[in-house]
Amino acid sequence: MKSPLLSLPGAVPAEGVDEGVAAHYGELFREQRALADGTGFVDLSHRGVLTVTGADRLSWLHLLITQHVSELPAGQATEALILSANGHIEHALYLVDDGETVWVHVEPGTQEALLAYLESMKFFYRVEVADRTDEFAVVHLPAGSIAPVPDGVVVRETAHGRDLFLPRADLESYAEAQGPAAGLLAYEALRVEAHRPRLGFETDHRTIPHELGWLGTAVHLQKGCYRGQETVARVQNLGKPPRRLVFLHLDGSEVHLPVPGTPLHLASEGAEGRKLGFITTAVRHHELGPIALGLIKRNVPLDAELVAGDTAAAQEVVVEP
């Protein structure tokens, strides 16, 4: 779905899964600094939006997702995962309940599969699930923003900022009143700085929550009764995940950023050495320079010097080995 904000001056369209919104508006680092200072907003209108209504909405979701939501207070934001039977991550949900409706936003293009799964699990519960992507656009206000929220708009507030479920018809007028807009590259740079994983970027077909640090934010370890819970409990209590998320400072002298999937090797062995992992997201940060997230084997030493292709990469721990 193409955002009307791509008509703003300087807008450069994002590509791939983020197609439909602006990557930037011509001043990448200015846009990053604005978000870091708590000003501006980010158009995330390409993300999927679902709602769950009905008297059983919270108790029903509680049985399906990794988070404890059966008594979720109205207005309290949370995030959750849906796992496969083997504990692999299939969906990431960012949600809030407004007292009558659970509002969820998800990665672009994943809402149809998620809706189909939720519909298949309704059984006798008093719930209704709807895809509201055509009606509502997600807009992100950064942490520290004092921008007013239009009356009646549902807000999901976290330590990283506020997500607004804005009527799509109001997107252009909101942008005119609350600009300037910041592009998705600025948003992604701050996400990487904060070590926050993203479905489809830091995940592949075999990722489990422990590898990405999602246990702290999206998984409640004292609840059961959801698909994949056995794997979560077994790895948490008896073992270690095979891989771990790592934050990387990249050599700033390189012109090009390593693309997602670029292999990570020991610097001493070079590109012909053993593959220890791969880059998941690489960005340019207004203060830190080129940085990245990557997945590496759990037993890679914490002080190991790495290279991403030909680019030196110094690691910081995100998930303990």
Side-chain angles (χ1 to χ4, degrees):
M1 185 172 296
K2 185 176 180 180
S3 171
L5 303 193
L6 284 172
S7 64
L8 293 177
V12 175
E15 299 178 345
V17 69
D18 290 320
E19 183 179 4
V21 296
H24 61 85
Y25 295 90
E27 299 182 73
L28 174 60
F29 290 148
R30 180 196 63 76
E31 294 166 30
Q32 281 189 36
R33 287 190 290 268
L35 292 182
D37 290 340
T39 60
F41 72 94
V42 184
D43 175 13
L44 299 179
S45 61
H46 63 319
R47 293 184 65 82
V49 175
L50 300 181
T51 57
V52 184
T53 55
D56 296 334
R57 65 189 184 282
L58 290 175
S59 58
W60 174 69
L61 281 172
H62 185 81
L63 299 175
L64 303 178
I65 63 179
T66 57
Q67 190 58 270
H68 195 300
V69 296
S70 57
E71 291 90 32
L72 184 69
Q76 180 175 311
T78 192
E79 57 188 86
L81 307 173
I82 289 180
L83 308 179
S84 72
N86 293 323
H88 300 138
I89 299 169
E90 293 189 344
H91 292 282
L93 291 68
Y94 301 85
L95 57 96
V96 66
D97 184 82
D98 67 4
E100 297 180 351
T101 301
V102 176
W103 293 80
V104 184
H105 69 78
V106 297
E107 287 297 327
T110 66
Q111 64 269 21
E112 291 185 4
L114 176 57
L115 178 64
Y117 171 70
L118 294 177
E119 286 284 357
S120 74
M121 301 300 291
K122 284 170 61 174
F123 303 116
F124 55 85
Y125 289 94
R126 296 170 296 171
V127 293
E128 293 297 331
V129 187
D131 183 351
R132 308 294 294 278
T133 308
D134 289 343
E135 303 168 67
F136 290 91
V138 179
V139 170
H140 176 77
L141 299 176
S145 173
I146 59 172
V149 175
D151 291 342
V153 170
V154 176
V155 179
R156 181 181 174 274
E157 185 164 2
T158 74
H160 303 288
R162 290 177 287 167
D163 298 334
L164 278 55
F165 293 88
L166 188 73
R168 193 170 287 275
D170 296 343
L171 187 55
E172 287 183 275
S173 60
Y174 181 87
E176 184 176 340
Q178 302 299 333
L184 197 68
L185 290 181
Y187 179 84
E188 284 288 279
L190 300 187
R191 177 182 73 82
V192 171
E193 178 191 16
H195 308 163
R196 297 170 58 207
R198 183 178 172 189
L199 182 78
F201 287 66
E202 278 62 59
T203 67
D204 58 21
H205 67 283
R206 58 193 180 97
T207 306
I208 59 175
H210 315 65
E211 297 177 319
L212 303 183
W214 248 328
L215 290 187
T217 60
V219 178
H220 194 287
L221 292 173
Q222 274 68 57
K223 68 165 293 231
C225 302
Y226 61 89
R227 190 174 66 178
Q229 187 268 340
E230 295 84 357
T231 297
V232 171
R234 184 170 62 251
V235 174
Q236 178 67 11
N237 296 325
L238 300 176
K240 295 284 187 177
R243 304 176 297 180
R244 59 183 175 90
L245 186 69
V246 64
F247 178 77
L248 300 167
H249 291 272
L250 303 176
D251 180 0
S253 66
E254 296 291 339
V255 175
H256 300 290
L257 291 171
V259 299
T262 299
L264 289 163
H265 304 272
L266 288 176
S268 59
E269 297 180 358
E272 302 304 317
R274 296 166 296 156
K275 180 180 176 181
L276 303 177
F278 56 92
I279 294 288
T280 58
T281 306
V283 297
R284 296 192 187 278
H285 190 276
H286 70 287
E287 289 183 342
L288 300 176
I291 56 177
L293 294 174
L295 271 177
I296 62 174
K297 294 180 178 180
R298 177 178 57 83
N299 58 3
V300 174
L302 300 180
D303 59 353
E305 296 182 2
L306 305 176
V307 289
D310 296 324
T311 303
Q315 61 168 313
E316 287 185 13
V317 176
V318 176
V319 175
E320 294 287 344

